[in-house]
Amino acid sequence: DAGVTQSPTHLIKTRGQQVTLRCSPKSGHDTVSWYQQALGQGPQFIFQYYEEEERQRGNFPDRFSGHQFPNYSSELNVNALLLGDSAHYLCASSLARWEGPGLETQYFGPGTRLLVL
Amino acid sequence: GENVEQHPSTLSVQEGDSAVIKCTYSDSASNYFPWYKQELGKRPQLIIDIRSNVGEKKDQRIAVTLNKTAKHFSLHITETQPEDSAVYFCAASWDSSYKLIFGSGTRLLVRP
């Protein structure tokens, strides 16, 4: 049973560049959430994708966008990179529950460490 | 607004002692409370979770208690071992939201 996987593991970019991060959910899961974790802090929700649509978004600018594919994998794109975008980007997968939001167990991938110079 | 506060920020215990980490949440509509353990440079790993219709849940040396009236929940680790050393995050979600709101983390050090 494959867990959540992410690629690449590390990435170095310069200001103004664009980056794409990838995530494959745990086997049997259909929902992907993305989080940003700054050093020494808890993860912060960026957005969640379900049925290839952005279902909910956190307080992140439009420079952050995403996509979900028919096989449930997902991408996170960040345009016009800023120094402050340097962080650990985590993907979490879950299985949508018929009871509605707020009850899904989320499993995290190993993350991508992004450094913006 | 949605907020989760976590205390203490650091906790040092002797091997074999118990450790308790506490979190409070702001919204009474919160209904799901997971705890994650994160070792340095690794992914957050779910160790236990509880839903709002349950007051306590236990899994071997780990237990979580929920007090809905006071809007707080706690992680209890008994018979601590050096491998329990890590950063622990509490989180909460609301019945109208898909996102998890995380606490600021507790760095637990278990001294051999």
Side-chain angles (χ1 to χ4, degrees):
Chain A
D1 182 19
V4 183
T5 60
Q6 290 186 245
S7 63
T9 56
H10 296 80
L11 205 50
I12 300 175
K13 292 286 188 178
T14 56
R15 280 179 297 173
Q17 284 190 312
Q18 178 263 344
V19 68
T20 297
L21 311 181
R22 296 176 176 83
C23 171
S24 291
K26 181 178 167 70
S27 178
H29 284 184
D30 58 7
T31 304
V32 173
S33 303
W34 286 93
Y35 291 81
Q36 180 194 67
Q37 186 176 27
L39 199 61
Q41 297 181 22
Q44 287 204 310
F45 178 80
I46 303 175
F47 41 53
Q48 184 182 87
Y49 275 83
Y50 172 68
E51 292 189 337
E52 302 180 48
E53 297 283 338
E54 181 184 290
R55 180 155 72 171
Q56 186 172 358
R57 189 178 185 90
N59 294 326
F60 280 80
D62 292 345
R63 298 186 297 108
F64 289 77
S65 63
H67 189 78
Q68 185 179 34
F69 299 94
N71 67 352
Y72 307 119
S73 67
S74 176
E75 288 182 350
L76 164 65
N77 301 292
V78 187
N79 294 323
L81 284 167
L82 304 175
L83 297 180
D85 294 332
S86 296
H88 194 194
Y89 288 87
L90 296 162
C91 159
S93 78
S94 55
L95 180 63
R97 294 172 65 110
W98 64 269
E99 300 99 321
L103 293 171
E104 301 166 359
T105 300
Q106 298 187 20
Y107 296 90
F108 284 87
T112 295
R113 291 195 180 278
L114 173 64
L115 177 61
V116 182
L117 300 176
Chain B
E2 303 156 343
N3 188 46
V4 176
E5 292 190 1
Q6 183 171 348
H7 300 280
S9 57
T10 59
L11 180 59
S12 179
V13 300
Q14 194 70 39
E15 182 178 359
D17 287 350
S18 295
V20 180
I21 302 170
K22 298 180 180 180
C23 289
T24 58
Y25 56 96
S26 58
D27 193 328
S28 57
S30 299
N31 57 4
Y32 174 61
F33 308 92
W35 285 88
Y36 290 88
K37 173 184 180 183
Q38 189 173 31
E39 298 178 44
L40 190 62
K42 302 288 181 65
R43 74 183 76 197
Q45 199 171 10
L46 179 72
I47 56 172
I48 197 166
D49 58 7
I50 193 169
R51 290 181 167 79
S52 59
N53 58 345
V54 175
E56 183 174 359
K57 184 177 178 181
K58 191 173 181 180
D59 182 5
Q60 299 183 352
R61 296 187 296 108
I62 294 173
V64 57
T65 59
L66 172 64
N67 184 326
K68 288 175 61 179
T69 302
K71 292 191 286 186
H72 69 70
F73 56 112
S74 300
L75 178 70
H76 305 253
I77 306 174
T78 58
E79 301 172 25
T80 54
Q81 301 166 3
E83 51 265 38
D84 293 330
S85 297
V87 178
Y88 290 81
F89 290 98
C90 64
S93 64
W94 282 253
D95 60 6
S96 59
S97 174
Y98 295 99
K99 64 181 175 182
L100 290 174
I101 303 293
F102 283 81
S104 54
T106 296
R107 185 172 299 278
L108 174 65
L109 174 65
V110 180
R111 305 186 306 274

